[in-house]
Amino acid sequence: MPHSSDEYYVTLEEHFERIQDKDKKLVKDLFKELEEKWFNGYFNDEVKEKIYVTSNLMLEHKMQAMPYFYDYIVTLMVIIDKNYPEKTILNWMSSVDLVIQSLKGRDFHDYLHNSLALFTDQYVFSNKIIQWKANGNWKLEVDSSIRYIFQETDLTCYTKKDSSNIYKTKGIYDPINRTWQGDGGKIDWQRANLNPDEVYANLQRYEIEMKMSKFIADSVELFNYRYFDKPIIGELEEQVLASRRG
């Protein structure tokens, strides 16, 4: 696609001409909004330049207008509307390029979906079964990898029938591998009606595959003051149930 504002816009419109009838209203509404923003300073020159680069990468990987270009443009506009710092927006745009080159089309679609969930509602990862939410501040770093870095946060796993919290932890989320490298934090079992001041665990380093609702942590200090005066050191497996038993 051309690296010229007017020419790019015309080429993008042409790219969307070959879509199914069921998508035509969505696309019409998109371009009604996009035209006003494209020609009135909503996208600055640096953002536009990155859009050109990303669009050509998408074409190289044979990504069609629907859903890929549509989802990319919509996601980008939502993120800009959230008033994140420009550096964060530009880093996210760079992360999209890395995802295109590293993953398949479906994974690219999932990355856009999860980006929306993070930028709007703090969900680091979500699908139809599991949601992982981190409520702390974060920064995004991109070079040869993508790193969403949380210095302090509560990390919560939700399923339809259960949830589990890691309090006051920190971690790095890698969306390419869908992993969270965690450091520190506390778990209790209030959902099992256990007093959080009596029964809890302090974590050290741990790793979570975010598409899973469980994780294993080594070298955990488990406190159970109902039975023991001192912590028990060992391995902890935490499982969040997709549905309650019984």
Side-chain angles (χ1 to χ4, degrees):
M1 285 188 169
H3 284 229
S4 161
S5 182
D6 291 350
E7 293 178 8
Y8 173 85
Y9 189 84
V10 171
T11 306
L12 185 66
E13 284 186 311
E14 292 172 350
H15 189 50
F16 272 90
E17 287 177 355
R18 300 178 294 277
I19 60 172
Q20 298 181 31
D21 288 343
K22 67 181 179 65
D23 296 322
K24 287 185 177 179
K25 186 181 186 306
L26 279 175
V27 172
K28 181 180 179 180
D29 292 343
L30 170 65
F31 274 92
K32 182 179 180 181
E33 179 181 3
L34 181 61
E35 182 177 12
E36 180 180 349
K37 291 181 173 179
W38 188 261
F39 295 106
N40 290 286
Y42 178 84
F43 303 98
N44 65 35
D45 289 343
E46 191 170 3
V47 169
K48 282 187 175 180
E49 188 60 38
K50 292 186 79 67
I51 290 173
Y52 306 149
V53 170
T54 300
S55 297
N56 283 309
L57 272 175
M58 292 169 73
L59 289 178
E60 286 176 19
H61 287 76
K62 304 186 185 307
M63 292 185 175
Q64 298 177 346
M66 297 293 291
Y68 301 113
F69 274 80
Y70 179 89
D71 287 348
Y72 169 64
I73 294 167
V74 169
T75 303
L76 177 58
M77 290 194 300
V78 169
I79 290 172
I80 292 174
D81 285 343
K82 289 293 180 181
N83 295 317
Y84 280 90
E86 184 172 339
K87 182 179 179 181
T88 299
I89 295 169
L90 293 173
N91 282 349
W92 178 81
M93 297 179 78
S94 296
S95 78
V96 169
D97 295 346
L98 193 57
V99 168
I100 292 171
Q101 296 173 81
S102 304
L103 300 175
K104 297 179 181 179
R106 178 64 194 175
D107 296 310
F108 172 69
H109 179 271
D110 289 345
Y111 181 65
L112 296 180
H113 166 78
N114 281 298
S115 293
L116 267 181
L118 175 61
F119 279 83
T120 57
D121 296 309
Q122 294 284 122
Y123 285 99
V124 178
F125 176 85
S126 63
N127 60 28
K128 293 180 180 179
I129 301 172
I130 303 165
Q131 294 82 40
W132 285 94
K133 185 172 187 176
N135 64 7
N137 294 327
W138 53 270
K139 65 178 181 178
L140 172 58
E141 294 182 353
V142 182
D143 39 50
S144 60
S145 64
I146 305 168
R147 300 177 301 281
Y148 289 88
I149 301 170
F150 292 78
Q151 290 299 331
E152 183 173 312
T153 184
D154 294 339
L155 181 65
T156 305
C157 179
Y158 296 99
T159 64
K160 290 183 178 180
K161 300 293 184 180
D162 199 6
S163 65
S164 179
N165 295 289
I166 303 174
Y167 300 103
K168 293 186 177 179
T169 188
K170 57 185 177 179
I172 300 174
Y173 177 56
D174 172 1
I176 298 289
N177 297 303
R178 299 186 178 96
T179 57
W180 170 280
Q181 299 289 339
D183 185 5
K186 176 183 176 181
I187 292 179
D188 62 42
W189 292 273
Q190 296 181 61
R191 70 187 196 277
N193 297 318
L194 295 175
N195 187 328
D197 295 322
E198 292 184 345
V199 183
Y200 61 92
N202 289 332
L203 306 181
Q204 295 189 35
R205 294 190 181 275
Y206 62 96
E207 179 177 331
I208 301 173
E209 291 187 31
M210 303 300 269
K211 62 183 179 180
M212 306 293 289
S213 59
K214 68 177 181 179
F215 68 92
I216 297 174
D218 295 323
S219 302
V220 172
E221 290 182 322
L222 174 63
F223 292 82
N224 187 337
Y225 286 114
R226 297 185 304 172
Y227 301 108
F228 306 106
D229 294 329
K230 297 180 179 180
I232 301 170
I233 308 300
E235 181 181 271
L236 171 70
E237 178 174 338
E238 175 72 349
Q239 173 77 58
V240 185
L241 303 177
S243 61
R244 294 284 192 187
R245 296 189 180 97

